[in-house]
């Protein structure tokens, strides 16, 4: 996860809402969309922040 490069800011309220959902499920269920060459996060910035707050070491990604 440390190699992923977000390029957008996250909104604290949305992160907290997402955090509650992911804690209930116990995992990040939807993949982050990541540009393959530079590992830039294209979609899933809030899910990435939630994963970091949960201390996850891995998240599912779709490389494009």
């Amino acid at each position: 996860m440390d190699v992923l490069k977000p390029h957008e800011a996250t909104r604290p309220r949305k992160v907290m809402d997402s955090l509650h959902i992911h804690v209930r499920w116990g995992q990040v269920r939807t993949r982050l969309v990541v540009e393959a060459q530079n590992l830039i996060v294209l979609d899933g910035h809030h899910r990435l922040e939630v994963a970091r707050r949960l201390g996850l070491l891995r998240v599912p990604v779709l490389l494009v």
Side-chain angles (χ1 to χ4, degrees), residues 24-49:
R24 186 169 15 137
W25 288 338
Q27 62 184 335
V28 175
R29 296 176 58 169
T30 306
R31 296 183 286 179
L32 281 64
V33 179
V34 177
E35 185 270 324
Q37 186 172 358
N38 298 304
L39 300 177
I40 296 172
V41 177
L42 302 175
D43 183 50
H45 292 85
H46 289 91
R47 292 187 302 272
L48 179 60
E49 181 60 27

Side-chain angles (χ1 to χ4, degrees), residues 3-4 7-8 10 13-14 20-22 28-29 31 34 37-38 41 43 53 56-57 64:
V3 298
L4 298 178
H7 70 89
E8 291 180 4
T10 56
R13 177 66 186 184
K14 189 168 181 180
H20 293 295
I21 291 169
H22 293 295
V28 175
R29 296 176 58 169
R31 296 183 286 179
V34 177
Q37 186 172 358
N38 298 304
V41 177
D43 183 50
R53 289 184 185 199
L56 301 180
L57 300 175
V64 296

